[in-house]
Amino acid sequence: MKEKEVIVGLSFAFKKDGPGFSNEALAKIIDREQIKNPNTPSILGVEIAACVKRKPLFIISRHRKYGRYFDSEEAIDQAISYAKRRGFNVIKLVAHPFLHRQKCWWLLKKYDINVKIVKTGWIPFDKDSEQWYTRGPVRCLLYVFLQIMTGRRSR
């Protein structure tokens, strides 16, 4: 079967007043990837979509169930659902490299789809993020530890 690739860019560090440093940096990686591969479309988190030069095929913006916490699991489920409906069989993953990318790769592998990691280099954290656990690497590690120990997710 011929590979049909789509870039999936997952937002990191929500801010009420704009996309934030992390998502701006991730958008630049996606722009670079689409310059190298101009026929590769994208499925993007809304914060990243606001920053890229080329309009994505699909924007992931909120949980499909009203009032539910919008987490990486939901974003990936939406991306995969859309990608499979459109016949894509390869995901080129763009995500924050500090723990988030690994988690997203692990979640994507559950869907039995080929995943390629797009190298990002260092992506900054955003100290002004609404989510305390995306403001720096120590906070991010603490959040992962709390998730593992309690199974809870922040809102």
Side-chain angles (χ1 to χ4, degrees), residues 18-30:
F21 300 126
S22 302
N23 293 308
E24 289 169 353
L26 291 166
K28 288 178 184 176
I29 302 299
I30 291 164

Side-chain angles (χ1 to χ4, degrees), residues 94-118:
V94 177
H96 195 283
F98 192 84
L99 300 175
H100 190 232
R101 180 171 52 205
Q102 181 64 29
K103 177 182 180 179
C104 294
W105 176 83
W106 180 76
L107 291 169
L108 283 165
K109 293 308 258 180
K110 291 180 179 181
Y111 289 90
D112 193 34
I113 194 163
N114 188 7
V115 180
K116 296 179 180 178
I117 303 293
V118 176

Side-chain angles (χ1 to χ4, degrees), residues 19-46:
F21 300 126
S22 302
N23 293 308
E24 289 169 353
L26 291 166
K28 288 178 184 176
I29 302 299
I30 291 164
D31 286 339
R32 181 193 72 201
E33 196 64 28
Q34 288 189 310
I35 288 169
K36 290 189 321 191
N37 303 292
N39 295 324
T40 304
S42 63
I43 297 170
L44 305 176
V46 66

Side-chain angles (χ1 to χ4, degrees), residues 41-108:
S42 63
I43 297 170
L44 305 176
V46 66
E47 293 87 358
I48 296 173
C51 304
V52 292
K53 294 178 181 170
R54 195 166 124 194
K55 184 179 175 186
L57 279 179
F58 183 71
I59 298 173
I60 308 161
S61 61
R62 64 182 180 274
H63 202 292
R64 291 171 286 193
K65 293 180 182 173
Y66 181 76
R68 299 276 308 266
Y69 178 62
F70 185 48
D71 55 14
S72 299
E73 289 84 345
E74 173 66 12
I76 286 171
D77 191 57
Q78 287 186 38
I80 290 294
S81 295
Y82 186 83
K84 286 191 171 186
R85 281 196 313 270
R86 298 290 298 259
F88 294 103
N89 56 13
V90 177
I91 300 295
K92 295 180 83 172
L93 176 62
V94 177
H96 195 283
F98 192 84
L99 300 175
H100 190 232
R101 180 171 52 205
Q102 181 64 29
K103 177 182 180 179
C104 294
W105 176 83
W106 180 76
L107 291 169
L108 283 165

